[in-house]
Amino acid sequence: MVDDKGKNMKCLTFFLMLPETVKNRSKKSSKKVNSSSSSNSSIGGSGSGSKLPPVCYEIITLKTKKKKKMAADIFPRKKPANSNTSVVQQYHQQNINNNNIIPAPNWQGLYPTIRERNAVMFNNDLMADVHFVVGPPGGTQRLPGHKYVLAVGSSVFHAMFYGELAEDKDEIRIPDVEPAAFLAMLKYIYCDEIDLAADTVLATLYAAKKYIVPHLARACVNFLETSLSAKNACVLLSQSCLFEEPDLTERCWEVIDAQAELALKSEGFCDIDFQTLESILQRETLNAKEIVVFEAALSWAEVECQRQELPASIENKRKVLGKALYLIRIPTMALDDFANGAAQSGILTLNETNDIFLWYTAAKKPELQFVSTTRKGLVPQRCHRFQSCAYRSNQWRYRGRCDSIQFAVDKRVFIAGFGLYGSSCGSAEYSAKIELKRQGVVLGQNLSKYFSDGSSNTFPVWFEYPVQIEPDTFYTASVILDGNELSYFGQEGMTEVQCGKVTVQFQCSSDSTNGTGVQGGQIPELIFYA
């Protein structure tokens, strides 16, 4: 069971390189650093308080857990082996702040390993034989470096300082990398430590890619995968394609497909580029109503008008959407959604509106430019945990009590709802309050009704949005039913069930007050996307 004490959510900001900037810079030779900036460019102070202008960056909001908590969980920091911890921490803090305080005589004796002695040189002017002016004009930071250490950590630095085309420069300008990201890369090279934060991880990934530091790049991708949610999946999809990270791209698509409506309604969706918009709109497996896709596209168009400094008029929205408008499957909307939404939005021409109405009603349907086939969506899987069910003898009764069970999976899935038993004495209607929790924190809940036909079948009850479930962590599924007291119930329950490629484990829950457990009771099915 994975410990997750981080209940407080904190709003963080991603500073992302514009696709044009990153793409152009990534094509540069690995043997030469850009030094085209003017020699008269102003150089920011060497302290840690330098701020970057928003000229080369987009800003994306992401809700995530505390930065230190997340980084510490994934990449635990290594502590000095010696007992003189306070002195080590003092020099470490001095290096982070770039105070350039000269170590005490025989400082080498304080550190028992070469890694720790090497770490003293991190961001330290002592014995530095090169300096980097990092960041765009107006937001630069001057950072010291040591050629030998850098060359050992990166083939690009090796070529830069010791290769056939090496340039003997005391100062190198790097305008396309954030100072904070460059420092994170230097810390890995000097200290063998990975220290990532949500607001700089993408910029650090860019730096690691540019200077060919593959282990740091992999750590950045892992960090992004653990931070991935419906709220930032569209933005990270765009960036993963830019950085050519297929594993991250695949993970983004998993989240977007399963939690499509949440992803499309997120603020980050409006920050994607046109190519990413097209790829999402034409996605066959989007698990969303078409009216939600339509409204998301209009929201993106409004923001795109602002980016292009155009009035957000109907004409301009249609102009920036271009051919992507016809990727929205308007003819597959429910008639009410079309009549009350798309038809009155103004984004469609009068002829398009008339033709779509005819598409709904006429026997001879007109030709449309819009895609007219319904999206396939995702096929839900059902994990059934009982081998048999029973009724009448020893009848199961509902008295407003809670039936609950705990479960864990070995792969990331998205719980869409539960399959529940119904009445054992004829047809009946039930009101069901379903809930999904992790360590007492409610992740999803819904109150809905379902009709039981009196058979021993299970009947699906859905959450409003699928809930992402992480592997190797126990979650609590609960339901309170109100309706006919006499019901079917499961028997011969299994502690482990193989469902496709997903293994599900079950254990009893202390929240269960109506007798449900692993061996028998209610909540016979988990319905999920994988």
Side-chain angles (χ1 to χ4, degrees):
M1 189 168 179
V2 177
D3 184 19
D4 184 7
K5 299 180 180 178
K7 297 180 180 179
N8 297 324
M9 306 300 289
K10 190 172 182 180
C11 186
L12 304 173
T13 303
F14 271 174
F15 290 81
L16 307 182
M17 300 299 299
L18 285 175
E20 292 81 359
T21 303
V22 178
K23 190 173 294 183
N24 292 339
R25 297 297 182 183
S26 64
K27 293 179 180 178
K28 291 187 177 182
S29 170
S30 65
K31 295 187 177 181
K32 189 172 181 180
V33 173
N34 187 327
S35 58
S36 61
S37 300
S38 171
S39 60
N40 293 325
S41 297
S42 58
I43 299 176
S46 60
S48 61
S50 298
K51 296 183 178 180
L52 300 178
V55 177
C56 297
Y57 302 87
E58 294 178 335
I59 300 177
I60 292 92
T61 302
L62 166 67
K63 285 187 178 179
T64 183
K65 299 178 182 177
K66 295 181 179 179
K67 293 185 286 185
K68 291 184 179 179
K69 171 68 175 176
M70 294 180 66
D73 285 343
I74 307 167
F75 315 111
R77 294 184 178 180
K78 299 179 181 179
K79 296 183 179 180
N82 65 332
S83 59
N84 199 352
T85 306
S86 61
V87 177
V88 173
Q89 291 177 344
Q90 178 184 354
Y91 286 137
H92 181 68
Q93 188 61 43
Q94 289 170 2
N95 290 354
I96 291 177
N97 296 333
N98 198 17
N99 290 329
N100 298 319
I101 297 176
I102 299 175
N106 194 28
W107 59 269
Q108 294 87 344
L110 298 173
Y111 304 94
T113 68
I114 185 63
R115 185 188 69 82
E116 292 173 294
R117 292 192 292 273
N118 209 44
V120 174
M121 296 295 100
F122 164 60
N123 200 20
N124 196 330
D125 269 317
L126 181 66
M127 294 185 284
D129 50 3
V130 67
H131 284 80
F132 300 95
V133 180
V134 186
T140 58
Q141 188 171 344
R142 193 170 188 268
L143 303 174
H146 305 77
K147 293 181 180 180
Y148 167 75
V149 178
L150 295 170
V152 169
S154 162
S155 60
V156 175
F157 284 129
H158 181 272
M160 186 187 303
F161 301 132
Y162 301 105
E164 294 180 358
L165 301 178
E167 295 185 13
D168 188 16
K169 290 185 177 181
D170 294 331
E171 187 172 275
I172 299 173
R173 296 182 180 275
I174 308 177
D176 62 325
V177 178
E178 284 187 38
F182 198 79
L183 271 173
M185 182 179 67
L186 292 185
K187 185 173 183 180
Y188 172 74
I189 292 175
Y190 277 80
C191 310
D192 199 26
E193 292 183 19
I194 298 176
D195 189 6
L196 300 175
D199 56 347
T200 58
V201 63
L202 278 171
T204 304
L205 176 59
Y206 171 68
K209 288 275 188 176
K210 177 176 180 177
Y211 292 98
I212 312 180
V213 187
H215 297 293
L216 178 60
R218 184 67 250 169
C220 291
V221 172
N222 290 339
F223 185 94
L224 290 170
E225 288 181 352
T226 63
S227 306
L228 186 60
S229 69
K231 295 183 179 180
N232 63 6
C234 294
V235 172
L236 291 183
L237 173 66
S238 176
Q239 296 299 316
S240 66
C241 295
L242 183 64
F243 289 126
E244 298 180 348
E245 287 291 343
D247 291 342
L248 181 58
T249 300
E250 183 179 354
R251 278 283 297 114
C252 289
W253 277 125
E254 289 176 4
V255 174
I256 293 171
D257 282 342
Q259 298 180 304
E261 294 195 1
L262 284 175
L264 294 172
K265 291 178 180 179
S266 67
E267 292 182 7
F269 176 79
C270 295
D271 295 314
I272 62 178
D273 57 87
F274 182 78
Q275 185 177 358
T276 305
L277 174 71
E278 283 188 309
S279 65
I280 292 176
L281 293 183
Q282 65 188 7
R283 185 77 172 173
E284 191 71 31
T285 47
L286 275 187
N287 203 38
K289 295 179 181 177
E290 205 62 32
I291 185 63
V292 175
V293 179
F294 176 80
E295 292 171 348
L298 288 190
S299 298
W300 179 90
E302 183 172 353
V303 175
E304 181 65 15
C305 285
Q306 297 174 7
R307 283 193 286 263
Q308 297 187 21
E309 299 182 352
L310 297 172
S313 62
I314 295 297
E315 293 76 14
N316 287 332
K317 289 181 182 178
R318 188 176 175 107
K319 177 183 177 181
V320 298
L321 280 172
K323 61 182 180 179
L325 176 64
Y326 298 106
L327 297 175
I328 306 171
R329 307 187 182 194
I330 295 178
T332 68
M333 290 181 185
L335 181 56
D336 287 347
D337 288 340
F338 173 71
N340 298 317
Q344 300 187 42
S345 66
I347 201 72
L348 303 177
T349 66
L350 183 59
N351 287 337
E352 288 171 342
T353 303
N354 289 338
D355 285 347
I356 294 174
F357 268 121
L358 288 175
W359 175 270
Y360 282 109
T361 57
K364 185 178 180 181
K365 301 184 183 300
E367 292 186 5
L368 300 175
Q369 287 183 276
F370 296 91
V371 179
S372 56
T373 56
T374 305
R375 299 180 195 272
K376 294 179 180 178
L378 294 176
V379 178
Q381 300 184 42
R382 294 175 178 247
C383 174
H384 199 91
R385 67 188 190 92
F386 296 124
Q387 299 181 67
S388 64
C389 66
Y391 72 105
R392 290 182 181 168
S393 61
N394 193 22
Q395 301 243 16
W396 197 279
R397 294 179 179 273
Y398 295 122
R399 300 181 180 85
R401 296 175 180 172
C402 179
D403 288 290
S404 184
I405 193 72
Q406 286 192 322
F407 68 94
V409 293
D410 64 342
K411 292 180 176 62
R412 185 181 287 105
V413 300
F414 299 86
I415 296 293
F418 305 145
L420 304 177
Y421 289 126
S423 170
S424 60
C425 50
S427 60
E429 186 179 63
Y430 285 92
S431 174
K433 179 183 178 181
I434 60 174
E435 193 173 68
L436 192 60
K437 295 188 294 186
R438 177 182 178 180
Q439 294 185 343
V441 178
V442 177
L443 304 178
Q445 60 182 2
N446 198 18
L447 179 62
S448 62
K449 294 183 178 181
Y450 71 95
F451 182 78
S452 163
D453 60 7
S455 70
S456 60
N457 296 330
T458 58
F459 304 92
V461 180
W462 307 94
F463 289 104
E464 184 178 5
Y465 303 110
V467 181
Q468 181 169 309
I469 301 298
E470 298 298 330
D472 304 322
T473 303
F474 273 96
Y475 293 79
T476 303
S478 302
V479 60
I480 298 177
L481 290 174
D482 183 17
N484 195 323
E485 282 194 348
L486 302 181
S487 167
Y488 288 93
F489 60 94
Q491 295 184 132
E492 300 179 90
M494 296 172 283
T495 58
E496 185 174 295
V497 179
Q498 187 71 33
C499 187
K501 297 181 179 180
V502 181
T503 302
V504 187
Q505 293 182 337
F506 293 96
Q507 69 179 24
C508 294
S509 168
S510 59
D511 292 348
S512 188
T513 58
N514 198 40
T516 290
V518 174
Q519 298 301 319
Q522 297 298 325
I523 317 182
E525 285 183 338
L526 300 178
I527 306 174
F528 65 92
Y529 302 114

